[in-house]
Amino acid sequence: MSGSSGRIYRVSGPLVVAEGLSGVMMYEVVRVGEEGLIGEVIAIRGDRAYVQVYEETSGLTVGERVVATGRPLSAELGPGLIGSIYDGLQRPEKEIASSTGSIFIRRGVSVPSLSRDTRWSFERSRDVKPGDKVNPGDLIGFVRESPLIVHKIMVPPEVGGYVKWLAEDGEYTIEDPVAVVASGDREYEVRMYQLWPIRRPRPYAEKLNPVEPLITGIRVIDYVFPMAKGGKAAIPGGFGTGKTVALQEITKWSHADIAIYVGCGERGNEMSDALTSFMKLMDPRRGRPMMERSVFIANTSNMPVAARETSVFLGVTIGEYFRDMGYDVVMVADSTSRWAEAMREISGRMEEMPGEEGFPAYLSSRLAEFYERAGRVRALGRPERYGSLTIFGAVSPPGGDFGEPVVRSTVRYVQCFYALDYGLATRRHFPAINWLLSYSLYTDFVKDYWNKLTSWSEYREAFLKILQREAELSDIVRLVGPEALPEEDKLVLEVARMIREDFLQQSALNPVDAYSPPEKGVMIAEAIMEFYRLARRALAKGATVARVRELKSRSEIAQLKYYTLKQLSEEVFKKVVDDVRSEFRDLLGGE
Amino acid sequence: MSRERLFVKSTRQIFGVRGSLLFVRAIGGIRYGELVEVSLDGTSILGQVIDVSKDAAVVQVFGSTTGVTPGKSVVRFYGETIKVPVSSDMLGRIFDGLARPIDGGPQPIPEDYLDIHGSALNPALRVPPSEPIETGISVIDGLLTLVRGQKLPIFSGSGLPHNRIAMQVVRQAAVRGSGESFVVVFGAVGVAYEEAAYFLRELRSMGALDRTIAFIAPASASTVEKLALPRVALTAAEFLAWSYDAHVLTILTDMTNYAESLREISAAREEVPGRRGYPGYMYTDLATIYERAGRVATRKGSMTIMPILTMPDDDITHPIPDLTGYITEGQIVLSRDMWRKGIYPPVDVFLSLSRLMKEGIGEGKTRGDHRELFSQLISSYAEAQYLRELSAIVGLESLTPRDKKYLDFGDLFERKFINQGERERRTFEQTLDVGWEVLSVLPEEELKQISPQTLKKYHVKYRLGVQTRSG
C-alpha cells in the first residue's frame, strides 16, 4: 500500500512537523527524509502532521520528503522471536551488527525483525484439515522454536473462514504460506508470522481473575506479597536499591514459560550483564539455558528517546502473542520512569499544556494503557487455551521520593507494590523490599494455593504483625534502649530479626539461595514460627530472652536457606526442628 | 574546527535575539543541528541550529551575543553538525573545550573528523566489564574496584580534595598485564582559574603526560564550550579506544558545572523546567555522555569514565548526583567528616559502591583473597562504626574488651587503610596486605567472612609466623 507523501515543515529534536500528508492517520508510520528515518504521527493539526521520529534527527532539513506507509507501527510476530535482542523498533541488534559491521547503532538501518531465510520445521495440526471452518486464534500448526518453546501457529485475529489448503509438514520460511483460508470470495494466505499494531491490545475470548500465584523464587514476594499470573506490579526504588537485580531475578526464576526483558532507557553494561547471564544460566526447572525462553528489548539510555515508548509497547505485544498460544508470560520493564521522561520531552516540544512537574496530562492514561494489557485470559480459538501476561514495571523516582507523578500515577493501576527502600539497601538487606510500605492485592486470590502447602494465611499474618510491632518498638528502643522492654517485647524484636535475616533476606549471588522454591520458604517459615511458639511458652514459664538468644538452634535456622530443597526435605529440616524442640526442653528442664 | 570551510549559505536576516538564541528568517536547506558561524565586527562566534522550520531557524550561539545586530551581522551555515579533528598525536597535549590547542603547540594533523555526539554502542555487542584498573589508591582498589568499561563517579563537595584525587588517579592509574596501551583523557569543565592552573601545572610536571590528553574549559569559557567539552573529550577517547585498541580512562571534572550550563541553556530556550529548574531531559543528556563507557566483543580497547561532581550543599538527592547515580555503575562518595579528621582520600565507605566490582576481583584478576577480605573489612568497619555511636551514648568504660578492639580497628582502618599519601602508589597486593594488617588487631574468631583456608594463607599471623597483638 503506497501512502501519500509530504514535506518537512519544521524540525525540533525528535519532533518533525510535516505538511501535505493528505489522509494520514493517527499513529501511522511515516518515513522521514532521504534516509527514511522511522517516525510515527502523534498529532494532526490542520494540514500539519506532528511526527515523533525514532532516530536522531540532526541533519534533516526543511522540505525533505516525508512518506506515509499506510499502517500503524506494528510488531512482526512469529518464529524467531525467542532468543532475539531487539531495539525499540524491533530491529534485531545482533543482525544490525553483522550487517553494518559497526560497533555502534547508526540511524536509518533497516533489517527485518524476523529472519526471512531461516527455514522452520512446520508440523500441521492434526485437528484441522482442508474444508474445516477456522476462526481467529485457531491453531493450525506448530514449530519447535527452541528446545523449550513450541511456537503455535495461529489463524490471525481478523481472519476466519474455510481452510482451502493446508501445508504438509516440512521446512518453510516465515514468508511461505502454510494455509489458505477462504471466506466468501476472499482468500487469505496464512503465514507463520503476523503483524500486529503495538499500541492495540490483542483480542482474547475472556479475561479471567488471576487466581494462580506466580512463583518468583523470591521469598518476600512469593510468601508475603504474592504475585499472581496475569498480575501487574510496580517496583519503585531510588538508585542503589537493587531494582535491576530484583527485576533480573524475577525474570530468571519466575515460573513462567516465556520471559520478556525490556531495558528502556537504562544502562548498557547492565543490559549486557543480563544478556550474558541469560545465556549461561540454566532454567532450574527444565535444565536448559534461560535464553531459550526469553526475548530481550534493549533500548539503552543513550539510544533515541522516542523509542523508549515503543520498546515498552513492543514488549507487551510480544507478550500477548505468546499468551494467546496459552503460555504464561512474564514481562519486566526497566524503567517506566525513563519512558515517562520521554513522553515529557516530546510533549514539551509539542508545546502542550504541562501537568505535574512538566509531565503531560495524559501520563496516567498512557500508563494505564500499558498495565491494563496484563491479565490471565482464555485465548481466542480452538483448542481451548489459557494464558497469562504478568507485568513488572520498575519506577525510578528522583531522589527516591515516592510522591512524584510517575509513582503516584502507577499505583492507581498496579495491584502489587514492591517498595524498594534505601535504608534497607544501605544495611545490605536485599531484596530491599520494605515490608511496611509494600502490598499485594492478590493475597486473597492465591490463598488456596498456599494453604494447601501450609498454614500460610496464619503465618503470613503473624509475620506481618511481628514486623509491624517491631517498627513500633524500635521507636521506644531508640529512647530507652532495648533492655528496658518487657520480656515479650524483647522476644518480638528477636523473632522479627529472625524473620528479616533468615527469611526475608535472600542473596542473589548465592547459587543455592538465589532461587527459593515455595516449599523451602514454607519450611523456613515453619521453623521460625515453631521457635517463636516454643520461646513464648518458655517465657511464660519464667525463661528469659537472654537465655533464648543463646540457643544454638537459632543459628541453625539461619542456615536453612543455604540448603537445597532436597537436603532440607530429606533430613536437615527435621533435624533443625528437633534441635529447636530439644533445646527448649532442656532450657525449661534446667530451670 | 580549524578546517577551511566553504560556507554553503549565509544570511543577514536575524530578526530577534534573546539570551544566547538568535532567531533567523529561514533560507532554504538549513539542517537541524548544523553548525553556524556568526560574524561580528572583526570576530566571529560559533552556534548551532536547534530548531528549524519553513519560516524561521533558531540558532544557539556558543558564547555571548554581545554585538549581534539584526540585519547587519552575518550568519553563515556550515552544512554539517559539530565535528572535531582527532588524532593519536593528541597524546601529551592540552586543548580547550573545542579541541583547540592551548599549550602553545600546533594543531595536530587530524586523522579523522568525528561528530562529538557519537553513536550508541550496540547493546548486543557489549560485553560485561570484568578487568580491574589499578588506581594505586587503596580505598578504591580494595573496596570500590574500578573495572575497564565501567562508569564510576566521585560525588564530592566544595572544598573537598576531589581535584587532588583526580590528579592522583591520572598519575597512577594502570591496567594489569603488560603490552596493553593505557591512556588517560582528562577533561575539566568550568573550573576556576586556580583549579585550571593547578591542573596545568600538575599535568606538565607529571611524567605521565605522554599518555594523557587534557581538555580544559575554564569557568570563563562560553556556556556552549563547557557543554561541548565532555563530548569532545569522549570523542577523542573513543577514537583511541576503538581505532587504536587503547584502554582509555576518561576523567571529567566538575560535571556540576556542566549541569549548570545545561540549565542555563534550557532556561534561555524557555523550556518547561523539571526538578529545581534543571531540564527534564537532563537524565538523557547525561546518559549520552556516560553511556559511552563500555567494552565491545569485537574490539580490544575499552572506555572507562570517572566523572567527578560536587554535590550542591552536600545533598546526594540533588538532581545532579541523583540522576548521575541512576546512570553510573556505583559512586564514590567523599565525606566532609572524614576530611576534617585529616583522612585523605576522605571516602565514605558506606555510601560508596562499585556495582561492577564483583566481576573484576579475585584470583587471576587482583588476588584470591580480595572478595572475602573486602566483605570482612566492610562488616568489621560497620561494627566499629556502630560501637563508636554506642560508646558515645553509654561511655567507653561500659564496652567489653572485644568492643574496644573494634574501636581500635576502626581507627586503624581509617588511618592506615583509607588514608594514604597523595604521591603514594599502592599495588593491589600492597592494598590487600594493608587490609590484612589492620584486620590483625581483631581476634581471629571475629573474622567470620573469611574461610579458614584463606585465613591460613593470608592472615598476617600465619604469613609472618609470629604472634600479633591479638594473638
Side-chain angles (χ1 to χ4, degrees):
Chain A
M1 185 173 161
S2 71
S4 61
S5 82
R7 303 266 162 205
I8 294 180
Y9 169 77
R10 178 183 168 203
V11 188
S12 172
L15 183 76
V16 165
V17 184
E19 297 186 301
L21 278 174
S22 57
V24 73
M25 58 179 179
M26 275 296 276
Y27 295 116
E28 183 170 340
V29 173
V30 295
R31 295 291 194 147
V32 179
E34 310 307 327
E35 286 174 274
L37 307 182
I38 299 171
E40 195 183 16
V41 176
I42 53 168
I44 302 170
R45 293 178 192 163
D47 182 35
R48 289 179 189 160
Y50 288 70
V51 177
Q52 155 167 288
V53 180
Y54 291 118
E55 295 174 89
E56 176 58 43
T57 53
S58 55
L60 284 181
T61 164
V62 171
E64 276 187 76
R65 260 161 73 89
V66 179
V67 182
T69 60
R71 57 178 180 81
L73 197 61
S74 303
E76 282 188 1
L77 304 167
L81 287 171
I82 297 291
S84 287
I85 307 163
Y86 290 118
D87 74 356
L89 296 170
Q90 212 196 358
R91 289 180 300 200
E93 290 172 349
K94 281 187 278 191
E95 284 72 8
I96 291 181
S98 51
S99 78
T100 61
S102 165
I103 58 172
F104 298 110
I105 297 233
R106 296 236 158 79
R107 67 180 188 188
V109 198
S110 179
V111 183
S113 307
L114 297 173
S115 160
R116 296 296 190 266
D117 307 324
T118 311
R119 301 186 78 82
W120 299 97
S121 166
F122 173 82
E123 189 189 325
R124 63 193 276 181
S125 163
R126 302 298 167 222
D127 303 331
V128 182
K129 51 188 184 307
D132 286 357
K133 188 171 186 318
V134 287
N135 290 313
D138 284 0
L139 297 187
I140 56 162
F142 309 93
V143 168
R144 181 160 279 286
E145 192 178 350
S146 81
L148 292 182
I149 298 298
V150 174
H151 200 108
K152 299 173 185 167
I153 308 299
M154 298 173 285
V155 176
E158 279 143 357
V159 176
Y162 290 93
V163 178
K164 206 174 152 195
W165 173 79
L166 188 61
E168 293 301 320
D169 292 359
E171 310 257 303
Y172 300 94
T173 70
I174 57 166
E175 293 275 27
D176 297 328
V178 291
V180 175
V181 173
S183 164
D185 53 356
R186 296 228 319 258
E187 287 189 356
Y188 184 92
E189 289 184 338
V190 179
R191 292 181 171 76
M192 285 194 278
Y193 80 107
Q194 37 183 283
L195 285 175
W196 190 261
I198 60 166
R199 291 181 189 275
R200 213 160 93 211
R202 284 176 62 88
Y204 45 80
E206 189 186 358
K207 204 158 199 169
L208 306 160
N209 255 341
V211 289
E212 226 183 296
L214 176 84
I215 301 300
T216 61
I218 298 171
R219 284 188 294 272
V220 57
I221 294 182
D222 291 346
Y223 208 82
V224 188
F225 304 111
M227 185 60 171
K229 284 181 180 168
K232 40 204 173 222
I235 307 188
F239 73 83
T241 52
K243 206 164 43 262
T244 301
V245 175
L247 285 175
Q248 286 189 13
E249 293 305 299
I250 288 168
T251 349
K252 279 179 202 163
W253 310 118
S254 281
H255 288 203
D257 304 303
I258 310 270
I260 298 175
Y261 192 97
V262 181
C264 161
E266 287 287 322
R267 304 177 179 104
N269 280 336
E270 246 166 35
M271 208 60 226
S272 110
D273 183 48
L275 279 168
T276 327
S277 69
F278 269 65
M279 288 182 207
K280 272 194 268 173
L281 265 179
M282 293 291 162
D283 185 316
R285 291 173 301 135
R286 287 175 289 190
R288 298 285 315 174
M290 304 269 189
M291 204 62 192
E292 291 177 358
R293 59 172 183 85
S294 311
V295 182
F296 274 80
I297 297 166
N299 193 79
T300 54
S301 54
N302 53 343
M303 286 162 73
V305 170
R308 289 183 196 161
E309 171 148 316
T310 55
S311 53
V312 169
F313 282 113
L314 175 65
V316 166
T317 307
I318 296 176
E320 285 178 338
Y321 174 67
F322 283 109
R323 172 203 72 188
D324 291 346
M325 293 181 203
Y327 287 122
D328 290 319
V329 183
V330 164
M331 167 185 165
V332 303
D334 185 13
S335 151
T336 58
S337 294
R338 306 299 163 226
W339 163 36
E341 282 161 15
M343 272 190 249
R344 172 165 69 184
E345 185 173 342
I346 303 282
S347 162
R349 296 205 187 250
M350 303 251 303
E351 291 163 11
E352 290 170 337
M353 186 70 87
E356 258 179 301
E357 292 192 19
F359 286 105
Y362 48 80
L363 168 72
S364 164
S365 59
R366 207 59 73 80
L367 286 169
E369 275 170 34
F370 164 62
Y371 283 108
E372 280 300 306
R373 288 173 74 170
R376 188 170 153 264
V377 304
R378 182 162 65 78
L380 283 182
R382 292 163 305 171
E384 195 174 66
R385 306 183 296 275
Y386 293 89
S388 67
L389 171 61
T390 312
I391 295 180
F392 290 87
V395 193
S396 323
D401 165 23
F402 291 170
E404 59 92 49
V406 185
V407 177
R408 281 219 312 267
S409 307
T410 303
V411 292
R412 288 164 49 200
Y413 308 109
V414 297
Q415 305 293 302
C416 288
F417 188 72
Y418 301 118
L420 297 180
D421 191 285
Y422 194 67
L424 289 177
T426 42
R427 294 207 302 270
R428 299 283 186 265
H429 175 113
F430 288 110
I433 295 177
N434 181 312
W435 47 88
L436 301 173
L437 296 175
S438 304
Y439 60 82
S440 162
L441 301 181
Y442 296 124
T443 314
D444 279 345
F445 286 133
V446 304
K447 67 168 181 245
D448 292 342
Y449 168 91
W450 279 101
N451 286 336
K452 265 182 231 148
L453 287 177
T454 178
S455 340
W456 177 71
S457 299
E458 184 195 319
Y459 287 179
R460 181 179 174 275
E461 267 167 44
F463 270 24
L464 286 174
K465 220 183 258 168
I466 292 169
L467 291 168
Q468 173 64 38
R469 182 77 188 132
E470 181 196 31
E472 292 163 16
L473 289 174
S474 69
D475 291 338
I476 305 174
V477 168
R478 224 168 285 139
L479 291 174
V480 299
E483 290 313 310
L485 292 179
E487 288 295 299
E488 296 93 277
D489 285 345
K490 276 193 223 164
L491 181 65
V492 167
L493 290 185
E494 204 54 36
V495 176
R497 194 167 131 195
M498 290 171 74
I499 297 174
R500 282 190 285 109
E501 293 178 359
D502 308 341
F503 186 83
L504 298 179
Q505 281 189 23
Q506 192 174 341
S507 163
L509 299 176
N510 182 300
V512 176
D513 197 28
Y515 166 71
S516 180
E519 296 80 5
K520 180 171 162 181
V522 165
M523 285 187 209
I524 303 177
E526 278 180 355
I528 294 175
M529 288 307 286
E530 180 68 5
F531 185 93
Y532 184 42
R533 192 179 64 86
L534 292 172
R536 274 208 302 200
R537 215 173 59 183
L539 289 195
K541 293 194 178 159
T544 61
V545 173
R547 295 288 308 279
V548 170
R549 217 178 271 151
E550 283 164 12
L551 296 183
K552 279 212 298 293
S553 53
R554 222 185 127 263
S555 55
E556 285 178 44
I557 293 178
Q559 291 300 316
L560 283 177
K561 59 179 168 186
Y562 300 116
Y563 290 99
T564 62
L565 180 59
K566 191 156 167 284
Q567 292 167 323
L568 284 176
S569 36
E570 272 167 9
E571 52 172 340
V572 177
F573 176 65
K574 192 169 167 303
K575 183 186 168 294
V576 170
V577 174
D578 285 347
D579 287 351
V580 171
R581 290 185 182 142
S582 73
E583 273 201 308
F584 273 105
R585 255 195 316 274
D586 296 347
L587 181 71
L588 290 177
E591 304 242 325
Chain B
M1 297 267 141
S2 61
R3 207 162 24 151
E4 285 296 314
R5 303 257 173 206
L6 275 176
F7 294 109
V8 187
K9 353 174 180 20
S10 65
T11 176
R12 285 176 196 269
Q13 295 280 310
I14 299 173
F15 68 91
V17 184
R18 193 172 63 212
S20 59
L21 302 184
L22 302 184
F23 297 82
V24 181
R25 234 175 280 290
I27 49 173
I30 300 176
R31 294 180 180 277
Y32 175 75
E34 81 173 289
L35 213 56
V36 299
E37 194 179 295
V38 185
S39 21
L40 310 170
D41 290 333
T43 62
S44 68
I45 44 174
L46 291 174
Q48 191 179 13
V49 176
I50 58 158
D51 195 320
V52 58
S53 75
K54 221 170 178 175
D55 312 319
V58 183
V59 172
Q60 169 101 57
V61 296
F62 301 175
S64 148
T65 44
T66 315
V68 172
T69 322
K72 204 170 149 209
S73 308
V74 183
V75 183
R76 294 192 175 85
F77 294 86
Y78 274 48
E80 60 180 31
T81 51
I82 179 164
K83 288 188 173 161
V84 287
V86 287
S87 148
S88 56
D89 290 341
M90 293 171 89
L91 283 166
R93 303 287 307 277
I94 304 171
F95 301 87
D96 73 357
L98 295 169
R100 295 173 292 215
I102 51 169
D103 54 0
Q107 179 85 36
I109 296 162
E111 291 171 49
D112 205 350
Y113 287 86
L114 297 177
D115 185 335
I116 64 162
H117 295 96
S119 297
L121 282 175
N122 187 330
L125 284 181
R126 280 181 184 263
V127 285
S130 63
E131 290 124 2
I133 291 175
E134 195 176 70
T135 64
I137 299 174
S138 286
V139 64
I140 298 178
D141 291 351
L143 308 178
L144 303 158
T145 318
L146 176 68
V147 294
R148 291 183 207 166
Q150 186 177 15
K151 38 197 180 295
L152 183 65
I154 296 180
F155 290 0
S156 182
S158 40
L160 294 179
H162 47 271
N163 288 336
R164 288 160 60 188
I165 300 173
M167 279 296 122
Q168 188 169 6
V169 174
V170 173
R171 261 195 315 270
Q172 299 182 345
V175 285
R176 300 218 119 184
S178 54
E180 290 182 292
S181 89
F182 184 75
V183 171
V184 176
V185 171
F186 175 76
V189 189
V191 292
Y193 169 78
E194 290 80 357
E195 289 172 286
Y198 166 76
F199 289 136
L200 287 172
R201 197 170 58 238
E202 281 289 320
L203 285 167
R204 286 198 176 114
S205 70
M206 187 182 291
L209 190 57
D210 57 337
R211 58 171 178 90
T212 305
I213 308 178
F215 296 88
I216 297 177
S220 55
S222 73
T223 311
V224 177
E225 184 179 332
K226 287 184 240 168
L227 285 180
L229 187 134
R231 295 192 168 82
V232 169
L234 287 167
T235 304
E238 276 180 351
F239 177 70
L240 295 174
W242 308 135
S243 304
Y244 279 90
D245 290 340
H247 294 290
V248 187
L249 169 64
T250 305
I251 297 173
L252 297 169
T253 182
D254 170 341
M255 290 302 285
T256 300
N257 296 335
Y258 171 85
E260 295 297 332
S261 302
L262 198 67
R263 176 164 71 172
E264 191 181 326
I265 296 285
S266 168
R269 291 183 189 178
E270 299 190 353
E271 289 166 339
V272 181
R275 270 208 315 152
R276 303 218 197 166
Y278 292 93
Y281 51 79
M282 189 156 86
Y283 172 85
T284 306
D285 189 276
L286 292 173
T288 56
I289 294 175
Y290 300 144
E291 273 296 328
R292 290 168 86 165
R295 298 211 56 193
V296 286
T298 51
R299 293 284 195 285
K300 286 208 194 84
S302 64
M303 285 279 292
T304 310
I305 303 182
M306 184 180 258
I308 295 172
L309 56 89
T310 45
M311 300 180 281
D313 290 333
D314 293 351
D315 175 11
I316 201 168
T317 66
H318 185 280
I320 300 171
D322 188 51
L323 294 179
T324 303
Y326 271 121
I327 301 164
T328 55
E329 283 124 3
Q331 66 278 336
I332 297 171
V333 183
L334 302 190
S335 140
R336 212 168 280 282
D337 287 345
M338 292 283 272
W339 182 232
R340 281 197 205 103
K341 276 198 213 166
I343 310 281
Y344 171 91
V347 174
D348 184 321
V349 173
F350 299 114
L351 287 179
S352 305
L353 162 79
S354 166
R355 287 167 190 261
L356 304 182
M357 170 179 182
K358 62 178 196 301
E359 307 298 335
I361 60 173
E363 193 65 55
K365 304 231 162 118
T366 53
R367 205 169 74 183
D369 55 328
H370 196 160
R371 223 173 284 261
E372 289 171 50
L373 183 67
F374 159 75
S375 341
Q376 187 61 58
L377 285 171
I378 294 285
S379 73
S380 302
Y381 186 46
E383 181 70 13
Q385 202 73 330
Y386 165 75
L387 289 166
R388 273 179 187 169
E389 283 162 26
L390 195 71
S391 79
I393 302 168
V394 300
L396 200 58
E397 34 319 323
S398 49
L399 293 187
T400 64
R402 168 201 171 268
D403 294 351
K404 285 183 184 144
K405 281 201 173 129
Y406 266 102
L407 292 185
D408 288 346
F409 165 80
D411 291 338
L412 208 57
F413 178 73
E414 287 172 1
R415 278 191 293 109
K416 290 192 98 168
F417 186 86
I418 300 186
N419 192 34
Q420 100 182 56
E422 212 179 315
R423 307 243 157 212
E424 179 188 355
R425 185 179 195 291
R426 296 186 193 156
T427 62
F428 278 122
E429 284 78 11
Q430 287 167 333
T431 290
L432 297 176
D433 288 347
V434 176
W436 283 106
E437 192 189 325
V438 298
L439 269 186
S440 68
V441 300
L442 292 176
E444 236 176 271
E445 61 272 16
E446 290 293 323
L447 309 181
K448 287 183 189 137
Q449 313 278 339
I450 294 176
S451 67
Q453 302 90 305
T454 309
L455 199 75
K456 287 273 179 318
K457 194 165 166 197
Y458 293 101
H459 193 284
V460 180
K461 187 170 106 185
Y462 300 100
R463 279 204 300 162
L464 300 181
V466 292
Q467 293 284 304
T468 54
R469 277 186 269 177
S470 68

